[in-house]
Amino acid sequence: MAPSSNSQWDDTERANEETPLLKDLKDHQSHILPRRRLLVVFPALALIHFTSFLDQTALSTSLPAIAAGLNTGSSISWVSASFLTTSTSIQLINGRLSDIFGRKTCLLGALTIMVLGNLLSGWSQTPAQLYATRAFSGLGAGAINALVQIAISDITTLEQRGYYFGILGVAVALGNGLGPVVGGVLTEKTSWRWAFWFVCPLAAAAATYFGLVFPPSDMADNVCTKLQRVDWFGVFTSMMAIVLILVRATAPHNCAAIQELT
């Protein structure tokens, strides 16, 4: 009886793995890859994840120089707060968006947003410009962190995931550890603006590598059909709810910062 029970359990798990998140959308995104192919595809995802965490931590040692360069005063904390607010707000919806538009498309789009945000942040001339562009960059970085893990789930089996998520943790640790060092060295040797800009060529290389090796989703629907599948009211409501919760949690500090900016 035990082998039969195990077989039934395996069949149930396999069925759960194949259940699409959208009732009217066939799952075209699960591509369980052989080990040889994984050794080519997985480094692309690890490099993207590493780049994202490198971007998040590189500014920690550059904040004094940024504050002096733009005369931000105590409102310099908004550099991190604006980034974290938008990166958190996107977490609830990027998985569903990737179900509709495809993992590959969404990851490449998130990388593009992060790169564009970093470029604009490096060109900022006022504190308000910096905070706004850093918030824009957070939308891309926040989506990347979730989408990389979702993409790994698409190309690996349940038995493999623990192993590959563990390796992904190494990329996270390297990004968190090297970010402050790289940001500090670039700020000291060149300018604080390069603490934003240096991520851009690395992200471009990661996007190119990922675009070449990651399997496509093979979703045949046109763009208009995909846009109609998005619950835009739900997207806006969930993002605004998270933003308001985070802003309310830091209300006293935000009020003081606004008074400084005005």
Side-chain angles (χ1 to χ4, degrees):
M1 294 297 293
S4 176
S5 299
N6 290 336
S7 176
Q8 291 177 357
W9 186 86
D10 291 340
D11 291 341
T12 302
E13 286 297 308
R14 193 174 296 109
N16 289 337
E17 284 288 289
E18 296 172 356
T19 301
L21 294 177
L22 298 175
K23 294 181 180 180
D24 59 341
L25 182 66
K26 185 178 178 181
D27 184 9
H28 294 279
Q29 308 204 69
S30 293
H31 301 276
I32 305 301
L33 301 180
R35 183 176 178 83
R36 181 177 297 180
R37 183 77 187 280
L38 276 174
L39 293 177
V40 176
V41 175
F42 180 77
L45 294 168
L47 180 59
I48 291 173
H49 215 45
F50 166 76
T51 304
S52 174
F53 278 88
L54 195 68
D55 175 46
Q56 293 180 40
T57 58
L59 296 183
S60 59
T61 49
S62 305
L63 291 179
I66 295 173
L70 295 181
N71 193 27
T72 64
S74 62
S75 69
I76 188 62
S77 61
W78 276 30
V79 173
S80 299
S82 60
F83 180 92
L84 292 175
T85 299
T86 53
S87 63
T88 303
S89 68
I90 199 70
Q91 294 296 322
L92 287 179
I93 63 172
N94 56 25
R96 181 54 60 91
L97 291 177
S98 70
D99 290 334
I100 298 172
F101 294 97
R103 317 290 190 224
K104 190 171 187 177
T105 300
C106 286
L107 256 174
L108 290 174
L111 278 166
T112 302
I113 291 173
M114 188 181 74
V115 168
L116 182 58
N118 276 21
L119 286 172
L120 295 175
S121 294
W123 285 322
S124 297
Q125 301 299 319
T126 66
Q129 290 176 2
L130 178 61
Y131 305 149
T133 55
R134 194 59 181 158
F136 181 73
S137 183
L139 290 173
I144 286 171
N145 296 339
L147 288 173
V148 166
Q149 298 184 47
I150 295 172
I152 291 175
S153 298
D154 284 337
I155 61 176
T156 59
T157 64
L158 281 171
E159 294 80 7
Q160 293 173 321
R161 283 174 204 168
Y163 174 76
Y164 285 102
F165 281 139
I167 298 177
L168 195 67
V170 175
V172 173
L174 286 174
N176 284 331
L178 292 177
V181 176
V182 175
V185 170
L186 288 174
T187 300
E188 182 179 357
K189 301 297 183 181
T190 57
S191 166
W192 60 264
R193 299 182 187 276
W194 280 101
F196 297 101
W197 289 338
F198 86 96
V199 173
C200 299
L202 183 59
T208 302
Y209 179 24
F210 172 76
L212 291 174
V213 301
F214 194 80
S217 60
D218 298 326
M219 300 173 73
D221 292 338
N222 58 42
V223 176
C224 292
T225 303
K226 292 177 180 178
L227 290 174
Q228 291 173 3
R229 292 180 183 273
V230 180
D231 178 11
W232 294 108
F233 178 75
V235 167
F236 178 79
T237 302
S238 64
M239 291 185 68
M240 288 299 98
I242 294 173
V243 169
L244 291 175
I245 289 171
L246 294 175
V247 170
R248 180 66 183 87
T250 58
H253 182 271
N254 289 340
C255 290
I258 290 172
Q259 289 176 357
E260 268 197 47
L261 285 175
T262 55

